[in-house]
Amino acid sequence: MTADAAAAAHLSALLGRFARAVAAHDADGFASPYTPDGRYHDGFFGVHEGREAIAAMLERFYVGGEAFDRGIAFTQLGYELPRIGKLLGRYTREFTASSAARAHLAARPDQAGRPPGDA
């Protein structure tokens, strides 16, 4: 096996591990491929630094990030925009009524990756 093929196989195995962790709701498994000071840049949840913060980001996804996926799914299913808005509006009202969801969102780092309350 060439060095390139070995590297590609390693990367493929690593991505598979990553995807399986997401599918299994395994936040620690999701964060484990990162170095202790690794950074994860998520377009929806922002920048997270360190395994603990990366794992916490995935936990927040399971509390509310699925709304993002619902919007995409509704679009792919061919729903009209007013219907998508109504469905996501209802979901948002239900979501924001949850104290657990509010606590997770309050813990979200800012866009620079700083924990809440850090200057």
Side-chain angles (χ1 to χ4, degrees), residues 17-65:
R17 181 175 147 199
F18 185 83
R20 284 188 301 278
V22 172
H25 298 203
D26 177 5
D28 291 333
F30 174 78
S32 69
Y34 292 88
T35 60
D37 62 344
R39 291 174 63 96
Y40 181 84
H41 296 257
D42 185 89
F44 188 71
F45 287 108
V47 178
H48 297 78
E49 187 167 344
R51 287 182 183 141
E52 187 176 315
I54 293 167
M57 184 275 310
L58 185 64
E59 289 296 331
R60 280 191 298 282
F61 171 79
Y62 293 118
V63 171

